[in-house]
Amino acid sequence: MYFELFSQMKKQLGQLGKWLDTAAAHAKAKPFDPNLYLNFRLAPDQLPFVRQVQIGCDAVKLAASRLSGKPAPSHPDTEQTLEELSARVRSTVEYLDTFTAKDFESAAGRVISHPRWEGKVMSGADYFLENAVPNFYFHLTTAYALLRHNGVNLGKADYLGSLSLRAP
Amino acid sequence: MYFELFSQMKKQLGQLGKWLDTAAAHAKAKPFDPNLYLNFRLAPDQLPFVRQVQIGCDAVKLAASRLSGKPAPSHPDTEQTLEELSARVRSTVEYLDTFTAKDFESAAGRVISHPRWEGKVMSGADYFLENAVPNFYFHLTTAYALLRHNGVNLGKADYLGSLSLRAP
């Protein structure tokens, strides 16, 4: 289910790209500087919008790289405009586009290390479920909440994207 | 990976229970009425905290039921206090405690219907990945964001819970 979950996260990163477009249009209509979004926070000791988007992108990018062994493109977290943030999202989606199910065949058994784990490791399976997927959704939803809190007109359908519905 | 993902969501529901305890302690320390949390919102047209918790619980409860065929306990959304909301979370965790991996053996191929899908259906696999998991994390993280926005002292470790770290 690795590839399927990565495909789902990729789809939702595409939705994030659309939210940024909606946010830009909202700023233009009010009007206010669209780059103001980057520093909005829900609490003074919470990371700002720009970091939520960057970390959300990296959560899925680095997970795909660690679980496949395929090098990830570098993103030095230098975005200073909403447009640059959109480009960051697109670049992450393009990297995820390069994967197939075969890339994750040995994902579960890999040994994953992380700068924050003080020398300890996790299995690929544990890392994916306990860290990568929850972290991705955390930052994605926090970015969504920040836009909603600041008046951007988004709803649950914008979060989920299209569903594979069919006739019964 | 169904059972593993449900186990992860159950673990994070347990974390949500702890956030409610932290929120109660914060209200007591300030002091303010802890039941005020239930009606907090991040935007006037967003569902309040009580609904975020109820829907988050139901996202995982109903998914487990639909994907296993095992009847779910009824929760009529009548919670009016933070304590009742904690009991709702505990009750959902208790229901999830009754599952084993075997319960989800035929999950992927099930045909899932939903009141909001206007007569259309999804496969169990599509429903789980495109709807149930993202919805659960959406409402869990929105509940977290609401507490953070209102001064409750939580961090990423409270969101993720304990990790299966081991020596290399």
Side-chain angles (χ1 to χ4, degrees):
Chain A
M1 210 185 270
Y2 291 87
F3 179 65
E4 289 77 5
L5 258 166
F6 275 113
S7 298
Q8 174 63 27
M9 292 192 282
K10 185 181 80 173
K11 181 175 90 177
Q12 289 191 262
L13 270 189
Q15 294 303 115
L16 167 58
K18 294 177 190 172
W19 309 343
L20 298 183
D21 294 343
T22 305
H26 176 68
K28 196 175 173 185
K30 289 296 285 185
F32 62 83
D33 177 1
N35 301 325
L36 285 173
Y37 289 114
L38 276 68
N39 291 311
F40 288 162
R41 300 168 191 260
L42 287 170
D45 59 340
Q46 192 179 44
L47 293 171
F49 184 74
V50 58
R51 295 292 295 138
Q52 302 295 340
V53 174
Q54 289 167 340
I55 299 173
C57 286
D58 274 5
V60 58
K61 176 186 84 171
L62 296 175
S65 176
R66 288 175 179 137
L67 291 169
S68 68
K70 208 161 147 173
S74 166
H75 293 109
D77 293 336
T78 52
E79 289 82 6
Q80 295 192 4
T81 68
L82 200 60
E83 274 190 22
E84 287 173 357
L85 218 42
S86 292
R88 169 72 170 267
V89 174
R90 281 195 303 276
S91 165
T92 305
V93 168
E94 280 163 20
Y95 172 63
L96 295 172
D97 271 337
T98 67
F99 286 84
T100 65
K102 208 173 154 51
D103 290 314
F104 300 108
E105 271 176 357
S106 61
R110 285 181 182 264
V111 176
I112 311 293
S113 57
H114 191 288
R116 289 202 184 174
W117 297 343
E118 298 172 345
K120 294 195 175 168
V121 300
M122 290 178 84
S123 73
D126 289 340
Y127 160 69
F128 187 57
L129 288 172
E130 297 181 16
N131 190 288
V133 172
N135 253 331
F136 169 73
Y137 280 116
F138 180 89
H139 293 288
L140 184 76
T141 304
T142 303
Y144 177 98
L146 268 158
L147 295 180
R148 288 283 275 113
H149 185 60
N150 286 286
V152 180
N153 191 22
L154 298 172
K156 179 62 78 63
D158 299 301
Y159 171 76
L160 290 177
S162 64
L163 300 179
S164 300
L165 293 168
R166 56 174 174 78
Chain B
M1 211 185 271
Y2 290 87
F3 179 65
E4 288 79 2
L5 258 164
F6 275 113
S7 298
Q8 174 62 27
M9 292 192 282
K10 184 181 79 173
K11 181 175 89 176
Q12 289 191 261
L13 270 188
Q15 295 303 116
L16 168 58
K18 293 178 192 173
W19 310 342
L20 299 183
D21 294 342
T22 305
H26 176 68
K28 196 174 173 186
K30 289 295 283 185
F32 63 84
D33 177 359
N35 301 325
L36 286 173
Y37 289 113
L38 276 67
N39 291 310
F40 288 161
R41 301 168 191 261
L42 287 171
D45 60 340
Q46 193 179 43
L47 293 171
F49 184 75
V50 58
R51 295 292 295 138
Q52 302 294 341
V53 174
Q54 289 166 339
I55 298 173
C57 287
D58 274 5
V60 58
K61 175 186 84 173
L62 296 175
S65 177
R66 288 174 179 139
L67 290 169
S68 67
K70 207 160 148 174
S74 166
H75 293 109
D77 293 337
T78 51
E79 290 82 5
Q80 295 191 4
T81 66
L82 200 60
E83 273 189 24
E84 288 173 359
L85 218 42
S86 292
R88 170 73 170 266
V89 173
R90 280 196 304 275
S91 166
T92 305
V93 168
E94 279 163 19
Y95 172 63
L96 295 171
D97 271 337
T98 67
F99 286 85
T100 64
K102 206 171 155 52
D103 290 315
F104 299 108
E105 272 176 356
S106 61
R110 283 180 184 266
V111 176
I112 311 293
S113 58
H114 192 288
R116 291 203 182 174
W117 297 343
E118 297 172 348
K120 295 194 175 169
V121 299
M122 290 178 85
S123 73
D126 290 340
Y127 160 70
F128 188 57
L129 288 173
E130 298 181 15
N131 191 286
V133 172
N135 254 332
F136 169 73
Y137 280 116
F138 180 88
H139 294 287
L140 183 76
T141 304
T142 303
Y144 177 98
L146 269 158
L147 295 180
R148 289 284 275 116
H149 185 61
N150 286 287
V152 180
N153 191 23
L154 299 171
K156 177 64 77 64
D158 299 302
Y159 170 76
L160 290 177
S162 63
L163 301 178
S164 301
L165 293 168
R166 55 174 173 80

